Amino acid sequence: MKLLCYGDSNTYGFDPRSFFGGRYPAEVRWTDLLARETGWEVQNAGENGREIPRRSWEIDDLLHRAEGADLVTLLLGGNDLLQGPPFAAEDAAARMEACLTPLLARRAPASILLVGPPPMTLGAWTNQAVCLQSRRLAPCYRALAEGLGLSFADGGQWGVELLFDGVHFSPAGHRAYAAGIQKALSPLAKRFAPSP
């Protein structure tokens, strides 16, 4: 099965502990852990700083990358919320709906998993207002997914540990996220299992 993981720095595997901001090695990143555990072909389409696609070239990039994938996961919204008030969880959900509309014109809803990002915590990059909106994002995404007929998973339920900045997954957080998303994807992936 071919899986496209489209996301931001937490999909890319950004490690803020590095002086210049590095990347976790493959043995730490959740996408690589998922590939090793399942045998799926996992494309890591994470990019540092990525917000929910809304410009035409960003939408085109997502559509192009999704063309050859059996399943697509979207883990986005944190960078949008980091803009701070008045931008809120509802605004991120509206932006996500506008992003999903052209994607749904090309593929079945059952082939898309929308993930509510693990809520941010107070840290070097965050404040109370941003943390509050990040906690409100998953319910907004859940309602959106139900309305569009998509699968939804709440990453906030997977015990994902964040680092000092309040935003990025720790190595343990990557392991927890990999385990959580594998459980969420397994029912969707069954239809791509080879016949006995």
Side-chain angles (χ1 to χ4, degrees):
M1 187 190 76
K2 295 181 180 179
L3 173 67
L4 173 69
C5 298
Y6 200 85
D8 54 27
S9 54
N10 276 324
T11 298
Y12 173 80
F14 180 74
D15 181 0
R17 301 172 302 176
S18 168
F19 183 75
F20 292 107
R23 189 183 193 189
Y24 288 121
E27 58 267 23
V28 173
R29 299 192 296 263
W30 68 262
T31 49
D32 293 89
L33 296 174
L34 180 65
R36 189 169 68 234
E37 185 66 27
T38 61
W40 299 338
E41 182 181 326
V42 178
Q43 180 187 354
N44 183 331
E47 181 179 294
N48 291 338
R50 176 181 280 144
E51 297 179 3
I52 299 165
R54 62 187 187 278
R55 302 170 185 89
S56 60
W57 64 269
E58 294 171 325
I59 298 290
D60 288 345
D61 177 67
L62 171 58
L63 296 177
H64 175 73
R65 290 173 182 265
E67 280 179 0
D70 298 310
L71 291 176
V72 175
T73 70
L74 292 135
L75 175 65
L76 289 164
N79 288 312
D80 304 77
L81 293 179
L82 284 168
Q83 298 176 43
F87 196 89
E90 289 85 358
D91 300 308
R95 190 174 281 182
M96 180 61 76
E97 182 174 12
C99 166
L100 288 168
T101 299
L103 186 61
L104 286 167
R106 297 197 180 190
R107 58 187 311 125
S111 70
I112 301 170
L113 177 68
L114 178 60
V115 183
M120 291 180 247
T121 58
L122 279 177
W125 288 26
T126 61
N127 55 42
Q128 290 280 7
V130 167
C131 292
L132 172 62
Q133 294 305 320
S134 73
R135 291 193 297 271
R136 299 181 61 247
L137 188 55
C140 290
Y141 276 7
R142 184 187 299 276
L144 174 62
E146 289 174 355
L148 296 176
L150 308 177
S151 295
F152 170 78
D154 184 356
Q157 302 299 311
W158 299 339
V160 176
E161 179 185 73
L162 304 180
L163 287 174
F164 63 92
D165 58 7
V167 174
H168 293 103
F169 300 173
S170 70
H174 275 268
R175 292 192 296 272
Y177 189 92
I181 200 165
Q182 182 181 344
K183 289 180 181 178
L185 284 167
S186 290
L188 305 178
K190 284 181 180 177
R191 60 194 175 102
F192 299 104
S195 302

